[in-house]
Amino acid sequence: MFEDYASVFDLGDILPRDKSRLREDIGMKKKIGKFSKEIREITKQETCYYCGNKFTSFCNSHSIPAFVLRNIAENGEVLTLNAFIDNPIFKVDKGVNQAGTFNLICRNCDSKIFSEYENPENYCNVPTQKMLGQIALKNNLMAISKRMFEINLYDKAEKELGLPSELRRVKNETNTLDLNEYIESYKKAKKSIDKNSTSDYYLCYYEKLNYVVPIAFQGAIALIADFNINIINNIYNMSPEYKVKNINICVFPLQNETAVFMFIESGDKRYRNFYRQFNKLDRDDRLLALTYIMLSYSEEVYFSKRIEKEIFPNEQLQKISRNTSEILSPTPFVDPILVAKEAYDLSKRKLIPNLLLEKYKIN
Ligand SMILES: [Zn+2]
C-alpha cells in the first residue's frame, strides 16, 4: 500500500540518499516495504471509523469500485500511474484487489454504506444525491486514511531515519489541517446520507460516453487554479480558518459505456467559475481537461493494459504525472502558490494525448 502514498511526498525527504541510486539498490524495495508495513500497523484503528464497533477483521475498501476496475482489467490487473512515472521502487501493475485500497471501516459497513453507487445498474441514469453522498463519503474516508498514514510516516521517519524535525513539523502541520478538513467533509456526507438529503451535492458536470475508456478514477481533488489561472485553492495558506475545498471527480468505465461526472458540496462558490468555464469547452476539450486534471493532481488513476503500447512512454504524460511530488517540495524564496499555478496550468492539457477520446476506447 506504500506505493499509494509514495508519490505524495518526495522520497528524498525521508530516505537519506541520492534518488538516482534507488534504481540500483535491490534492498531498498524490501526496506520500504517493511517500513510501510510498520506504519500501517501503527495507523490501524481498533474500531470501525463509521459504526464505531470493534474490528474483528479488516476490510480492504476500494477507492474505485471493484466492478469499475474489472471493466478495464486484463487478467485481473490494472496499471498504476507509475507506468508513466517509471519509479523503479513501486509496482507498475496491480491486481484489482490491491488497487487503491484503504482500511478504516468494517466489512459490514463496507458492504452497506456504498451499495447504491457501487451497483452498476444505477448508472443507467444521472447519479442520485444518495450516490453522490456515498462517493463523497468514501473519498473523504480514503483521504483521512492517507493523512493518518502520512502523519505516522513523518513521525517515524524523524525517529528512525533521521528526517530533520523541522521538516517533520511542517509536513505534519499541513497533514493535520488537511485531516481535520476531511473529517469535517466526511461528517457532512454521513449526515447527508442519514437524512436522505436531496440537495447537499451539486452535480456540475455529467456525461455518458457510448464507449469504454481505458482509465478509471474516483477522487476528491483540490484544484489550484481555473482556466483563467485564477486561484481556486491556496493550498499553502496555513491559517486554520482557511478551508481547502475539493471537487469530486469520477470516471467510471462500465460494461459498454462510461459515466464521467464532477460534483461539489452545494453552496460551495469557489468552483463556480471553474465549472462554468469547463462546461463552455467543447466535449472533446472537456475530456482532455479531465484527463489532465486526473493525471496531474492525483496518484489514484488506474489504466487498462490495453493502452500501454500506444502511450508509453510519453514525455509530457510523465512530466505532469510527477507534478504532485515536485510542488510539495518547493524551492525556498519563491512563492509556492505561483509555482503551483504554473505546474498545474490547465492550458498544458494541449500537450498530452486525450485518453478519454473514442480512439483510445477498449470496448
Ligand atoms: Zn462498521
Side-chain angles (χ1 to χ4, degrees), residues 2 5-19 22 35 150 153-154 156-158 160-168 170-172 175 324-330:
F2 189 75
Y5 301 102
S7 43
V8 297
F9 54 82
D10 189 333
L11 220 54
D13 284 355
I14 57 156
L15 300 166
R17 54 169 53 235
D18 186 315
K19 253 213 254 183
L22 292 176
F35 193 67
E150 276 167 36
L153 172 75
Y154 285 110
K156 198 170 160 67
E158 182 194 4
E160 293 175 23
L161 298 176
L163 178 82
S165 55
E166 180 58 14
L167 185 57
R168 197 258 320 143
V170 172
K171 294 278 185 189
N172 277 354
N175 276 330
T324 329
S325 51
E326 277 169 17
I327 70 123
L328 288 175
S329 315

Side-chain angles (χ1 to χ4, degrees), residues 290-332:
L290 269 176
T291 307
Y292 179 79
I293 290 169
M294 288 188 291
L295 296 184
S296 60
Y297 278 92
S298 178
E299 62 270 16
E300 297 295 338
V301 195
Y302 295 94
F303 305 87
S304 169
K305 286 187 168 179
R306 275 178 263 178
I307 57 160
E308 196 168 12
K309 285 193 193 82
E310 293 179 60
I311 55 165
F312 302 117
N314 176 304
E315 230 174 84
Q316 278 305 325
L317 282 177
Q318 289 181 353
K319 213 174 153 204
I320 66 158
S321 309
R322 285 199 198 99
N323 254 354
T324 329
S325 51
E326 277 169 17
I327 70 123
L328 288 175
S329 315
T331 10

Side-chain angles (χ1 to χ4, degrees), residues 48-108:
C48 166
Y49 201 85
Y50 190 85
C51 69
N53 289 338
K54 232 182 159 51
F55 271 128
T56 43
S57 67
F58 271 95
C59 174
N60 244 358
S61 308
H62 288 79
S63 67
I64 303 175
F67 90 85
V68 168
L69 289 174
R70 274 187 218 110
N71 289 332
I72 62 162
E74 285 279 282
N75 302 321
E77 285 189 327
V78 288
L79 290 172
T80 69
L81 198 60
N82 272 311
F84 296 115
I85 303 176
D86 190 32
N87 185 331
I89 290 190
F90 305 112
K91 266 172 89 175
V92 167
D93 44 5
K94 272 188 187 179
V96 164
N97 289 338
Q98 284 102 49
T101 55
F102 64 96
N103 312 105
L104 214 51
I105 54 170
C106 71
R107 233 175 265 275
N108 189 30

